[in-house]
Amino acid sequence: MTVIVYDSKRELMIADSRATSGGSHPIGAKMKIHEITAGKCNGALLGVTTDIPGLGEAFKEWVTEGMSKEAFDPSFPGLGALLVKRDNSVYLFAGSYFPSGPLVGDVFTIGSGAEYALGAYKACGDPFRAVEVAIECDPLCGPPIVSRQLRTPDANQPRRPGVSFDFSETSVAAQLPDRLRTR
């Protein structure tokens, strides 16, 4: 069905892309990692596993809209999710709208290939290889492998204090010699 790995040291979420119907029949590929782009979880990563087509997307919308208990079915049969907020705090949803967390650890895995991925990660420390092993061992997981980097609050800030970067068109043009500027 799915394997999703979150490596908290690398702030990286990795997943397979095989889509199944009813947990057994492959029906193509789909994105299982989503970036939340609005609401109180803006900038978070959400990895969702479910054997019910469309439930992952509905769950993403529910998280984006604020996770109101009244706005969604209180039981999510067959749903598992990892929500990683911009501060790198990790929350687990396991068949319920009540998240567990923040969790502490270096790596988190969910889905039918979770045990394979966790074992592989513990053996080699490589989250991409962990997903590859899960795909090799779990017939319900499949390529392609996709990943998303967590965009932390300071991700776009200069690495050195006092140094700023301005890549706007006017700024770049002002730095060019006169002979290279367009008129």
Side-chain angles (χ1 to χ4, degrees):
M1 207 165 49
T2 295
V3 60
I4 299 172
V5 173
Y6 181 68
D7 183 326
S8 63
K9 288 182 180 178
R10 293 177 178 96
E11 298 181 338
L12 184 66
M13 191 174 286
I14 306 157
D16 77 311
S17 296
R18 176 168 284 163
T20 59
S21 177
S24 62
H25 177 72
I27 57 172
K30 68 179 288 179
M31 181 57 76
K32 299 174 184 180
I33 302 172
H34 310 279
E35 183 173 1
I36 305 301
T37 57
K40 67 181 182 180
C41 291
N42 187 24
L45 291 180
L46 179 68
V48 182
T49 174
T50 180
D51 59 356
I52 301 170
L55 184 57
E57 291 76 12
F59 189 76
K60 175 194 172 217
E61 291 304 314
W62 177 75
V63 170
T64 300
E65 293 171 2
M67 300 189 294
S68 165
K69 292 174 180 69
E70 295 78 30
F72 209 84
D73 184 347
S75 65
F76 303 120
L79 179 120
L82 286 174
L83 176 66
V84 182
K85 294 184 178 181
R86 290 179 67 184
D87 64 359
N88 204 23
S89 58
V90 179
Y91 297 83
L92 172 69
F93 293 86
S96 168
Y97 58 66
F98 296 110
S100 178
L103 304 174
V104 177
D106 294 336
V107 66
F108 304 91
T109 63
I110 60 171
S112 61
E115 291 83 8
Y116 300 116
L118 183 58
Y121 183 88
K122 295 291 184 181
C124 70
D126 182 343
F128 284 98
R129 183 66 186 134
V131 172
E132 289 172 345
V133 168
I135 289 172
E136 291 172 17
C137 297
D138 184 345
L140 298 177
C141 297
I145 294 173
V146 297
S147 66
R148 294 204 77 162
Q149 189 77 41
L150 180 66
R151 296 181 188 181
T152 56
D154 62 348
N156 295 317
Q157 299 302 311
R159 295 288 181 208
R160 293 178 287 162
V163 177
S164 64
F165 301 96
D166 183 359
F167 293 106
S168 64
E169 186 176 330
T170 55
S171 171
V172 172
Q175 296 172 30
L176 294 173
D178 287 338
R179 62 185 167 77
L180 296 177
R181 290 188 196 161
T182 57
R183 295 186 168 104

